[in-house]
Amino acid sequence: MNIQELFVSEDLPIKDALRKMDEVAKKILLVTEDKVLKGVLTDGDFRRWILKNKDLNDPVKLIMAINPKYIKEKDISMAGEILEKNSIEAMPVLNKNKEVIDIIFWNDRFSKKRESRNIKSPVIIMAGGKGTRLDPYTKVLPKPLIPIGDVPIVERIIDKFQEY
């Protein structure tokens, strides 16, 4: 991914930024001026604005976080720790001039590297209900056995649990 796809101007209308976030399919946009980080927009910023019934034609500078978490290029080895400590999914990487040179996404770099904890605990998969939203499929198969592609839903749940 080209990092500049996430760059927006602080004067961009909120609705245009929302459209751009949808296009890039990430939960973050970086508000920059000549590559210098001025703020960050997350999907939560947009949701809060919409819930307040505010004007979507207003500029993004009204909703951006002006003191976002970021990491300096020289400290990149600490990125996972900072993301986890602050419970954030993405963080820009800045050079000494405060220009954005990269962005670190938790899912891209760290989600598969979690250490195994070997917890000895039973697992319960809640699979009850009438399945009315998936009708008529649930007339033939119970919801946990409905396949997504070639893999039943319950098998996907078990596979995900085994990862953790």
Side-chain angles (χ1 to χ4, degrees):
M1 169 182 192
N2 180 358
I3 187 74
Q4 292 189 3
E5 291 178 21
L6 299 175
F7 290 2
V8 295
S9 160
E10 66 181 351
D11 295 321
L12 185 70
I14 294 170
K15 69 179 177 183
D16 293 342
L18 191 54
R19 189 174 297 115
K20 183 164 186 162
M21 182 177 279
D22 186 52
E23 289 170 8
V24 297
K26 298 291 183 182
K27 294 180 181 179
I28 189 169
L29 292 175
L30 307 174
V31 182
T32 60
E33 185 176 316
D34 297 324
K35 295 185 182 182
V36 174
L37 184 67
K38 295 192 87 175
V40 168
L41 291 166
T42 65
D43 56 345
D45 297 321
F46 291 110
R47 276 195 310 273
R48 286 185 287 278
W49 190 256
I50 291 167
L51 288 171
K52 291 177 185 175
N53 280 329
K54 298 288 188 167
D55 190 353
L56 295 178
N57 292 308
D58 285 340
V60 297
K61 65 183 169 191
L62 297 178
I63 66 169
M64 70 182 190
I66 57 173
N67 293 313
K69 297 285 182 202
Y70 64 87
I71 191 163
K72 294 178 182 172
E73 186 177 18
K74 65 181 177 70
D75 300 324
I76 206 161
S77 63
M78 298 169 33
E81 185 179 316
I82 295 169
L83 289 169
E84 188 169 21
K85 178 183 173 191
N86 293 288
S87 299
I88 52 178
E89 294 183 35
M91 185 171 48
V93 179
L94 307 183
N95 66 16
K96 60 184 178 187
N97 299 322
K98 296 220 174 187
E99 295 172 329
V100 179
I101 57 169
D102 198 3
I103 187 163
I104 297 175
F105 291 97
W106 174 265
N107 288 340
D108 292 347
R109 297 206 182 177
F110 304 104
S111 64
K112 301 294 184 203
K113 296 180 184 176
R114 291 182 179 153
E115 63 183 65
S116 174
R117 294 188 179 105
N118 292 324
I119 298 171
K120 302 288 186 216
S121 180
V123 175
I124 298 172
I125 298 174
M126 303 299 286
K130 295 180 180 180
T132 54
R133 288 179 294 169
L134 293 175
D135 193 16
Y137 304 108
T138 51
K139 296 256 190 253
V140 178
L141 284 173
K143 187 167 47 176
L145 297 180
I146 293 176
I148 299 174
D150 293 332
V151 182
I153 293 171
V154 71
E155 187 175 337
R156 288 177 181 270
I157 292 169
I158 292 168
D159 289 345
K160 273 294 186 195
F161 178 78
Q162 286 178 329
E163 285 180 27
Y164 292 94

